[in-house]
Amino acid sequence: MSSDPRAAPSTPARDSLAARMPRPSAPLQRRVLWISLLAIVLGLAAAVVARALTMLIGLITNLAFYGRVDTSFVSPAGNHLGLWVIVVPVIGGLIVGAMARYGSRAIRGHGIPEAMEQVLLNESRIAPRVTWLKPVSSAIAIGTGGPFGAEGPIIATGGALGSLIGQLLHVTADERKTLLAAGAAGGMAAVFAAPFAAVFMAIELLLFERRARSLIPVTLAAISATGLRFVLEGSTPMFPMPGIATQGLAALATCAVLGLVVGLVSIGVTRATYVVEDLFEKLPLHWMWWPALGGIAVGVVGFFAPLTLGVGYANIAAIVTGTLGVTTLLALCVLKFASWAIALGSGTSGGTLAPLFTIGGALGGLLGLAAAHWLPWLHLDPRIAAVVGMAALFAGSSRALLTSVVFAFETTQQPHVLLPLLAGCITAYLLSGLLMRTTIMTEKLARRGLRVPADYSADDLDQMLVRDACSREVVSLRAEQTIAELRAWLHEGGAPARHQGYPVLDTHAHLLGVLTRRDLLDVQAPASATLDTLIHRAPLLVREDHSLREAADHMVAADVGRLVVVDADDPQRVLGMLTRGDILAAHGRRMRAAQRMSRHIDLRWRR
């Protein structure tokens, strides 16, 4: 018996027909076990890479700003170089520019858009040399004062490692995409000890789907990376905060308004970064030299505001604990943005998450302090405002809503921030979606003519059945008819013009096969030959209870434009025909019904 509960009882004749049925869809296949095992290995490898990269950044930072050999992850802000601090980022920019020109141009940028491009255009294939060029170039850029986060390069490196494994092994393009996303998620989880946010990041920015076959491996990669991170660095939260009290209704409403303000800022931040990039494009210099020019801006800003140099994870921790004053918050908000936007626009190598969290957190902290001073009756904790600002800026800039909310929760481990986070991030997301077509992750891709999926919805064709779309008016032929009879019938106009294929039935009205007009008119056979002698291939069938998605995939796989619809209990009994036009017509009816409802609601709304 078949494992498909809808299949008919097995007989030799019916098995030959069932072999031409659409392949039964299943949520999971056994290969997911193999991909999951690879994902676990990738997660562990990403954690090791994350640890190695932070040590390399620490080594370069210590050498460049303190003249010592040490791999400790330190901030460049405590340096005593004076004006020489301007030179250090320039040297880093020169090295990165040379690596990009003579190594791989793919190391430029913050990594996630580049990974998205490979997923959408190149079947998730990333050049193997990027696996080591990206982390090394990013370590140099960040270690010499670049205002970037280490998480972007680690995410990109994890993704490149997953892509490399997918290219070395015999896997499908979808499985390679899953491995790329698993490596990226493992990298993010290893940096921030935020496995849930890493999984959401993979779904919202890399996978462009939420299916069990990809969700399971990616989740296992995030879990394994986080577990090894706990072993290597401990389980303390990335940005620890003192206990936060539950916020009242007024404070929640204020967080929603705060999200609107930050959402508006996120639009400005996104557009400003690409304006800077466009200005660099107009320079009469080869792009190899641009990172060095960006390094000048980084060094000058770093001279006046040393806290803007480097990744700034300590700055984020200080922001969310409320230990920074107004002047410092203002400097981080404005000057960190200026330094980061110019450096990013120059095409150097580095991440965007930490800078956005710093800028958004500082802005939220400022607005929270203002609300506490001028509107004390709101009872808004400035620390919660800082956390909301941090997450809302990323939500508005990237429109990775769930990633933003869960990330802020996991890195602070404060359960009472979840509701304010939802309030602030959803309004930032709303405003960004209404006023900005692209995001900081997709603008570059859109300029290259690439359409990036943004919304994931159920497949309409998967929800419609063949019985609701097929034609029941079937013109069938008898097996004992001769070619001469059929040709005369066709020339006399006996066959409907819309019919191109005809089921051939035996004396018991059982299906033998399908013949097309071309089969009947072009065949080189005696005119006295009967139709059953012309059938040389098994018919392509579909049952009434198959979905239109299964039927459409069956047509594409077989390169045909029609299927014979048969009874679920008797696959030799013909019930109808399904053509490509029938599928499009059914889809069109669903779309028109939705449009009519939308217009009706719109008219009522206007009244």
Side-chain angles (χ1 to χ4, degrees), residues 263-409:
L264 192 61
V265 172
S266 73
I267 297 171
V269 165
T270 300
R271 291 177 176 170
T273 55
Y274 284 100
V275 166
V276 173
E277 185 173 303
D278 291 339
L279 292 175
F280 271 100
E281 293 282 352
K282 296 178 181 179
L283 291 176
L285 288 174
H286 192 277
W287 56 260
M288 182 185 81
W289 306 104
W290 297 353
L293 295 179
I296 296 174
V298 172
V300 171
V301 173
F303 174 76
F304 292 101
L307 287 178
T308 62
L309 295 170
V311 295
Y313 292 152
N315 296 337
I316 299 174
I319 289 171
V320 298
T321 54
T323 58
L324 298 182
V326 172
T327 303
T328 305
L329 289 174
L330 187 61
L332 283 175
C333 184
V334 176
L335 297 180
K336 180 77 172 184
F337 166 70
S339 175
W340 166 72
I342 295 173
L344 185 66
S346 72
T348 192
S349 182
T352 60
L353 276 72
L356 288 174
F357 294 147
T358 302
I359 298 165
L363 176 60
L366 286 170
L367 295 175
L369 290 173
H373 180 75
W374 299 104
L375 304 169
W377 52 271
L378 292 174
H379 302 292
L380 176 64
D381 191 327
R383 296 171 298 178
I384 284 188
V387 176
V388 171
M390 174 179 77
L393 187 65
F394 186 68
S397 300
S398 67
R399 289 210 277 276
L401 174 65
L402 298 177
T403 303
S404 305
V405 173
V406 176
F407 174 86
F409 165 66

Side-chain angles (χ1 to χ4, degrees), residues 140-460:
I140 293 171
I142 298 170
T144 54
F148 304 107
E151 70 289 330
I154 293 173
I155 290 171
T157 303
L161 184 60
S163 174
L164 177 60
I165 292 177
Q167 293 174 69
L168 295 176
L169 300 177
H170 185 66
V171 299
T172 66
D174 280 337
E175 290 169 340
R176 192 181 306 114
K177 178 180 70 171
T178 298
L179 291 174
L180 185 153
M188 182 173 180
V191 175
F192 293 115
F196 285 94
V199 172
F200 283 125
M201 181 272 297
I203 293 172
E204 294 184 305
L205 297 179
L206 292 174
L207 288 171
F208 309 113
E209 66 177 22
R210 199 225 50 88
R211 292 197 281 185
R213 69 177 189 181
S214 54
L215 182 61
I216 292 172
V218 167
T219 302
L220 290 173
I223 292 171
S224 58
T226 306
L228 186 54
R229 195 259 190 195
F230 288 165
V231 172
L232 296 176
E233 301 184 43
S235 58
T236 55
M238 190 70 179
F239 310 127
M241 292 179 65
I244 298 294
T246 303
Q247 298 296 287
L249 183 59
L252 290 176
T254 307
C255 287
V257 175
L258 174 63
L260 290 174
V261 175
V262 176
L264 192 61
V265 172
S266 73
I267 297 171
V269 165
T270 300
R271 291 177 176 170
T273 55
Y274 284 100
V275 166
V276 173
E277 185 173 303
D278 291 339
L279 292 175
F280 271 100
E281 293 282 352
K282 296 178 181 179
L283 291 176
L285 288 174
H286 192 277
W287 56 260
M288 182 185 81
W289 306 104
W290 297 353
L293 295 179
I296 296 174
V298 172
V300 171
V301 173
F303 174 76
F304 292 101
L307 287 178
T308 62
L309 295 170
V311 295
Y313 292 152
N315 296 337
I316 299 174
I319 289 171
V320 298
T321 54
T323 58
L324 298 182
V326 172
T327 303
T328 305
L329 289 174
L330 187 61
L332 283 175
C333 184
V334 176
L335 297 180
K336 180 77 172 184
F337 166 70
S339 175
W340 166 72
I342 295 173
L344 185 66
S346 72
T348 192
S349 182
T352 60
L353 276 72
L356 288 174
F357 294 147
T358 302
I359 298 165
L363 176 60
L366 286 170
L367 295 175
L369 290 173
H373 180 75
W374 299 104
L375 304 169
W377 52 271
L378 292 174
H379 302 292
L380 176 64
D381 191 327
R383 296 171 298 178
I384 284 188
V387 176
V388 171
M390 174 179 77
L393 187 65
F394 186 68
S397 300
S398 67
R399 289 210 277 276
L401 174 65
L402 298 177
T403 303
S404 305
V405 173
V406 176
F407 174 86
F409 165 66
E410 286 189 290
T411 53
T412 60
Q413 292 187 9
Q414 291 296 321
H416 294 307
V417 304
L418 267 176
L419 199 55
L421 279 170
L422 278 173
C425 288
I426 196 62
T427 52
Y429 182 89
L430 170 65
L431 195 64
S432 171
L434 290 174
L435 300 181
M436 186 168 62
R437 294 188 61 184
T438 57
T439 71
I440 199 168
M441 303 295 180
T442 62
E443 172 67 21
K444 185 182 296 185
L445 304 181
R447 293 182 177 193
R448 297 173 184 171
L450 184 61
R451 186 176 183 273
V452 182
D455 297 315
Y456 316 125
S457 58
D459 184 357
D460 282 344

